[in-house]
Every structure is written in structure tokens, then in C-alpha cells.
Amino acid sequence: INPGGGKSRGWYLFLQPEERVITQAFGLSGVLIFSTYNPDPPGAFGSSATNCNYTGSSNNYVVFANNANPVGIVNGTPTRFTVVQNNFVTNPFIEQGATKNAPSTNKNSEQLDSVQQGILDTLKKFYPKHTKFANYWISVSGVRSDTGYVRYATIPIGIVVKNWKEY
């Protein structure tokens, strides 16, 4: 939420009453990524524990760093986070991705799901007009508590060709 006129600059997000931030925030290319954990209510799914329940879900936030607006789109609706059911997630780490396919085929060596493709397409709009993109990206990912892999965001890599002369 952006503050109204006459207030300090910045933004903040309201979390659910028991939701807690569990990873370090990670920023890249104007995108801020972090995860929260939202435990299931006591007694849900046969649990007798309280707020330290193992059962619950992680919310993986992917927002613009300057205003916390959502980067991702799920089913045509902008969303600040995606949900990972019944798992904790680790701090984000990065990997570079590429493919041997010619850029004109528009196919990646690993197929991006609709959320990741949406993030990639949204971020490409913020690059300079004459940016050239190939099939290269930076994957910001994490590991779930069940040792599975989760991708938080796919950041495009673009090249801007400029004429310059060294004297």
C-alpha cells in the first residue's frame, strides 16, 4: 500500500494474522522476492499444535521493489504471491538458464509455466525499447521442505546495442 499525500515515502504489505516472513528479501532488476509461512489454524487437518504447526503454506511474493505492485499474473489476474501448499521454502538462490534453440522458435529448454512466462513477459516491458532478447534468463528459485524445487521468478536477460567509439 502506498502512503497518501504528506506521509513518508515507502510501502508496506498487510500479512495474515499468523503469517510470518521466513526468508531474506532478494532483489534483482527492480523485483523484490521473499517468502512467508502461514500455519494452518490449530486443529486443522487433525493437528493439535499451535502456531508452530508444520502444516501450513508458504506464500512466495514477487513484487516491484519501488511500490510492491504484483509482477506475476495468475489466470489473468495480477497477484503478489503464489502459494506452496504444506511446505516451508528456503532463501532464494539464482541460476542462469539458456537454451540451444534459435530465438525465433521461442521455445525454452525447460518449459515455463504460465506464471513464470507472465513474469518474464511483464519484466521485458520495462527494458529499453531496442533491447534484444534471446532465450536467456535468470531463475530465482528455492527448495521446499520436502526437497522439491520451486521457482519464485524468471528474470529476462537482454542486450542493448549502442554505438560507441573509444578514443
Side-chain angles (χ1 to χ4, degrees):
I1 297 175
N2 288 318
K7 299 198 178 183
S8 298
R9 292 182 177 195
W11 56 265
Y12 58 92
L13 294 174
F14 289 106
L15 301 178
Q16 297 298 317
E18 300 300 326
E19 187 176 10
R20 303 290 183 256
V21 175
I22 59 170
T23 63
Q24 296 176 355
F26 177 81
L28 179 66
S29 294
V31 175
L32 186 65
I33 300 164
F34 63 94
S35 295
T36 64
Y37 180 71
N38 198 5
D40 289 331
F45 308 108
S47 171
S48 60
T50 59
N51 294 340
C52 294
N53 286 350
Y54 178 76
T55 60
S57 57
S58 290
N59 296 331
N60 297 328
Y61 285 82
V62 181
V63 297
F64 288 109
N66 63 336
N67 59 13
N69 285 345
V71 176
I73 298 175
V74 176
N75 299 325
T77 304
T79 182
R80 286 189 173 99
F81 63 88
T82 56
V83 178
V84 178
Q85 292 291 334
N86 300 319
N87 278 288
F88 288 93
V89 293
T90 64
N91 284 324
F93 62 88
I94 62 170
E95 301 174 298
Q96 183 176 342
T99 181
K100 295 178 183 177
N101 297 332
S104 62
T105 65
N106 199 25
K107 292 184 181 176
N108 297 319
S109 58
E110 56 179 303
Q111 294 300 314
L112 300 177
D113 64 19
S114 61
V115 172
Q116 294 305 318
Q117 190 63 52
I119 291 172
L120 192 72
D121 294 341
T122 298
L123 293 176
K124 282 182 177 182
K125 295 175 188 174
F126 291 96
Y127 281 74
K129 184 177 180 180
H130 300 293
T131 302
K132 301 214 183 276
F133 296 99
N135 287 323
Y136 297 96
W137 59 86
I138 295 174
S139 296
V140 183
S141 307
V143 177
R144 298 186 314 249
S145 56
D146 65 359
T147 69
Y149 171 88
V150 61
R151 182 173 299 181
Y152 301 135
T154 303
I155 311 292
I157 298 174
I159 298 172
V160 178
V161 179
K162 295 283 186 180
N163 292 331
W164 59 279
K165 194 172 194 179
E166 188 173 323
Y167 293 98

